[in-house]
Amino acid sequence: MVNKFDYPDYRTLRGSELCEAIAGIPSMHFDSAEDASLYFARELDYVKGEAYDVQYPNFTALTCFPISTDIPEGAETFTYYSYDKVGMAKVISNYATDLPRVDAKGTPHTAFVRSLGDSYGYSVQDLRAARMAGKSLNSTLAETARRQIDQLTNQIAWMGDKENNLMGVLSEDNDIPLYTLSASSAKPESTKWADKTAEEILVDINGMEAYVAKLTKDVERPDTLLVPSDTYFDISNRQLPGTGISVMKFILDNAPYLKSIKSAAELNDNSPETNPYASGGSPKGVALLYTNNKKKIAIEIAMPFFQYPAQARGLELIVPCESRMGGVSIYYPLSALIAVGV
């Protein structure tokens, strides 16, 4: 059987004094410092594998939006162009020489790439305890490091990070238009879908689609709707009276271009860390209508979560972790629409 472990970790451990010190402790049952190094390297490799296996589906930005990995890891910035086709054709005569010119004008957009990082570590006593119990090192620390970076990635994807020049889907300067929802007939002071009938909700959604069509002259047809988790729960469980049909099915059956409705707790009115409209004295939930296409919108991941070789520091082994991202690129802002107050 071939041993599979991280050789950089093994070299780090072999070069440190930790293994020699622990190998000299009779209760550890190591014949040499090299045996201790091999053991620790295998343990760290197991921990890293466990961290990569864990999935956290509640970070909806990472599952709902396309992810682009085209940017090199070492890039500090990246630039993309949005093109506008200009010019026109006309009826011409034989031997005409005054043919009208057409062109495509590109507008450059430059964004920054930033590193996200954290670390975790194990003390010498952690290693002793694992060896004595005959168990592998607990992978919770590694999983926590992975989760924290994923959480920050998710937060930036939604809210952006103005200080570090990272764009988010709900950033105030992302050029995605806002849509004004109609009031509820039962509660004129409210625009929340919980206060509306199925027909009124459908009017809102088809009105959003019509608004995008008008802005783009029917070029854009958004196909995905993200709503707050409480709104999703309401429309998926509330039924049309006497039909057994849910409000969500009614909407999907009668909204021509809409293919899916998804829940996103980040859009709730109590999620100010991801929803800028949830702050202040009148927090509001948000609906996002968009085209789920990598050519329209994408989260820019230059380097996915990566764990560096362990570093010996005193009586600890520290594992640095890093990822790199460029926020969200919104190539076609008019392919999306934000509705505040659902």
Side-chain angles (χ1 to χ4, degrees):
M1 177 179 175
V2 179
N3 291 317
K4 295 182 179 179
F5 54 84
D6 235 330
Y7 278 98
D9 287 336
Y10 168 69
R11 289 194 296 269
T12 301
L13 293 165
R14 188 72 184 91
S16 72
E17 297 178 358
L18 284 174
C19 297
E20 291 183 3
I22 296 177
I25 300 173
S27 61
M28 295 297 287
H29 304 294
F30 287 120
D31 294 329
S32 67
E34 183 164 350
D35 290 335
S37 296
L38 290 169
Y39 167 75
F40 296 154
R42 292 191 191 99
E43 285 295 290
L44 289 173
D45 189 56
Y46 161 78
V47 166
K48 290 181 179 181
E50 285 286 292
Y52 280 111
D53 288 343
V54 174
Q55 301 293 321
Y56 299 105
N58 53 320
F59 297 144
T60 53
L62 299 173
T63 56
C64 291
F65 299 118
I67 294 177
S68 172
T69 57
D70 299 336
I71 303 171
E73 295 177 0
E76 295 289 344
T77 63
F78 66 99
T79 300
Y80 63 90
Y81 286 81
S82 58
Y83 289 91
D84 185 21
K85 301 176 180 64
V86 297
M88 60 182 293
K90 71 176 185 179
V91 177
I92 61 174
S93 61
N94 292 340
Y95 310 107
T97 59
D98 58 341
L99 299 177
R101 289 291 298 270
V102 298
D103 203 352
K105 295 183 178 180
T107 303
H109 301 271
T110 299
F112 291 85
V113 181
R114 304 297 190 194
S115 289
L116 316 180
D118 57 16
S119 65
Y120 65 93
Y122 297 97
S123 68
V124 172
Q125 178 55 31
D126 293 331
L127 301 172
R128 291 193 194 104
R131 179 67 173 176
M132 184 182 72
K135 296 181 179 179
S136 296
L137 288 171
N138 192 321
S139 62
T140 302
L141 293 176
E143 293 166 7
T144 302
R146 171 67 185 268
R147 180 180 177 85
Q148 293 306 111
I149 285 183
D150 283 352
Q151 182 173 347
L152 181 56
T153 302
N154 183 72
Q155 182 176 328
I156 292 172
W158 281 110
M159 190 86 153
D161 186 332
K162 195 169 185 178
E163 182 179 348
N164 289 294
N165 296 301
L166 295 173
M167 181 74 71
V169 175
L170 298 179
S171 294
E172 60 182 13
D173 52 350
N174 61 14
D175 294 331
I176 294 178
L178 294 176
Y179 181 78
T180 302
L181 295 168
S182 60
S184 162
S185 59
K187 294 184 177 181
E189 72 282 2
S190 173
T191 60
K192 296 186 67 172
W193 286 354
D195 298 323
K196 295 182 178 181
T197 65
E199 289 78 8
E200 288 176 323
I201 296 173
L202 182 62
V203 167
D204 275 345
I205 294 173
N206 281 337
M208 292 166 69
E209 290 277 9
Y211 187 65
V212 172
K214 183 177 181 180
L215 289 176
T216 65
K217 297 184 178 179
D218 210 25
V219 172
E220 299 292 348
R221 295 178 176 179
D223 55 22
T224 305
L225 179 66
L226 297 182
V227 296
S229 56
D230 54 351
T231 302
Y232 183 87
F233 183 83
D234 172 48
I235 64 175
S236 60
N237 286 280
R238 194 190 343 159
Q239 296 183 349
L240 275 65
T243 66
I245 298 174
S246 69
V247 172
M248 186 160 67
K249 178 172 172 45
F250 171 74
I251 293 169
L252 289 171
D253 287 344
N254 292 279
Y257 307 128
L258 196 61
K259 295 180 181 178
S260 65
I261 301 174
K262 299 178 182 179
S263 171
E266 291 89 344
L267 298 176
N268 291 0
D269 60 9
N270 62 348
S271 300
E273 67 282 355
T274 51
N275 175 11
Y277 303 96
S279 303
S282 181
K284 291 181 172 61
V286 170
L288 176 70
L289 182 68
Y290 69 104
T291 303
N292 193 1
N293 187 316
K294 192 175 181 179
K295 294 182 179 180
K296 307 288 185 180
I297 184 173
I299 301 175
E300 303 288 353
I301 303 294
M303 185 178 80
F305 179 75
F306 181 77
Q307 301 184 79
Y308 289 94
Q311 300 175 6
R313 297 182 189 173
L315 296 179
E316 278 189 301
L317 291 173
I318 306 297
V319 181
C321 305
E322 183 188 15
S323 75
R324 287 177 61 75
M325 76 170 300
V328 173
S329 292
I330 305 171
Y331 303 112
Y332 293 89
L334 297 184
S335 68
L337 193 64
I338 295 170
V340 181
V342 297

